[in-house]
Amino acid sequence: MYISDFCHIRSQTLFHSGKEIYKSAVGDLDSFLTDSFKALTISYPKFYKMDRLAKLGFLASEILIGKSSVKQNYNASQIALVLANAHASLDTDLRYLESTKTMASPSLFVYTLSNIVAGEICIRHGIKGENAFFVQPAFDANFMAHYVNQLLTETKTEMCVAGWVDVLGEHHDVFLYLAEKNKNGNAREHTGEELQKLYLSNYGSIDLQS
């Protein structure tokens, strides 16, 4: 099993395979998300209706597979999606709770489940394979490697989009990668050790405990 590509979204910066591809000049997360969407030249009006968690997952999936030909190698049912985070949908839950003080927001209520981000990614990219969402205290590289490897060996999954998509307030931490059954190019072995190295890359001045 192999890691064929990866990306990060941290400190209001987009990274692809370790290289910075866009950095925001503004000071707040919401503006960064909108500006990143425009910078990637994506045409998808529904993006503006998503919550922050869905937007982060959407942007990361666009970096990895939006304009690549990787999906052409697999049937939709052969592509899996496995995500995890620490705060579930709490960022949106708090916003929805605040809205109930005046008039409850139906548009926020739709996103008060952490796995909605997975649904948005699947709809966008036509993914119809296995999917799962886990809530954990921190990114668990060994767990992720084991779970995804099981999918690749015990199901009809041939490729998996996997990783960490977390947000709460201005804090945001995204690490998404592609795992494939067959080795392509300079792919790395899909192990917990390799995943941990990739997850910790591109951190810069970010507080790992935040």
Side-chain angles (χ1 to χ4, degrees):
M1 313 306 160
Y2 300 92
I3 304 166
S4 56
D5 202 359
F6 64 98
C7 71
H8 298 89
I9 304 178
R10 289 171 177 153
S11 295
Q12 297 189 15
T13 308
L14 308 181
F15 299 93
H16 186 195
S17 298
K19 298 180 180 179
E20 181 182 312
I21 60 173
Y22 177 74
K23 184 176 181 64
S24 175
V26 298
D28 65 278
L29 180 58
D30 289 319
S31 296
F32 162 70
L33 293 171
T34 299
D35 291 347
S36 296
F37 177 74
K38 293 177 180 177
L40 293 176
T41 62
I42 305 165
S43 177
Y44 199 72
K46 188 181 178 184
F47 177 85
Y48 295 101
K49 298 180 180 180
M50 297 179 189
D51 73 341
R52 289 169 161 183
L53 185 65
K55 287 178 177 178
L56 285 165
F58 180 94
L59 291 171
S61 69
E62 285 295 316
I63 293 171
L64 282 183
I65 58 179
K67 295 182 180 179
S68 104
S69 60
V70 66
K71 289 189 299 182
Q72 297 176 9
N73 299 326
Y74 307 103
N75 294 326
S77 60
Q78 294 177 316
I79 304 174
L81 178 65
V82 179
L83 301 175
N85 76 10
H87 294 102
S89 59
L90 183 58
D91 184 74
T92 299
D93 296 343
L94 293 172
R95 290 167 181 267
Y96 176 72
L97 179 61
E98 185 64 25
S99 77
T100 63
K101 295 178 180 179
T102 53
M103 182 176 295
S105 169
S107 62
L108 286 174
F109 179 74
V110 169
Y111 288 94
T112 54
L113 287 173
S114 54
N115 64 342
I116 298 299
V117 57
E120 295 288 12
I121 293 172
C122 288
I123 291 170
R124 169 62 171 169
H125 298 290
I127 297 172
K128 298 182 180 179
E130 303 282 341
N131 69 84
F133 195 105
F134 300 96
V135 179
Q136 304 169 322
F139 178 67
D140 189 333
N142 289 324
F143 172 86
M144 186 65 71
H146 177 72
Y147 190 88
V148 172
N149 281 342
Q150 275 193 311
L151 289 180
L152 292 168
T153 56
E154 299 177 10
T155 72
K156 61 182 178 181
T157 301
E158 295 289 330
M159 183 183 84
C160 184
V161 181
W164 184 258
V165 184
D166 194 37
V167 63
L168 184 61
E170 292 299 301
H171 163 77
H172 55 288
D173 182 18
V174 180
F175 165 59
L176 219 59
Y177 71 96
L178 300 182
E180 297 184 72
K181 188 173 289 187
N182 299 311
K183 186 174 184 179
N184 293 307
N186 297 319
R188 306 164 184 249
E189 287 201 25
H190 185 245
T191 65
E193 182 179 3
E194 286 296 328
L195 280 182
Q196 185 68 4
K197 289 179 183 177
L198 291 178
Y199 171 71
L200 291 176
S201 64
N202 293 123
Y203 250 114
S205 61
I206 289 182
D207 178 4
L208 299 185
Q209 302 304 318
S210 63

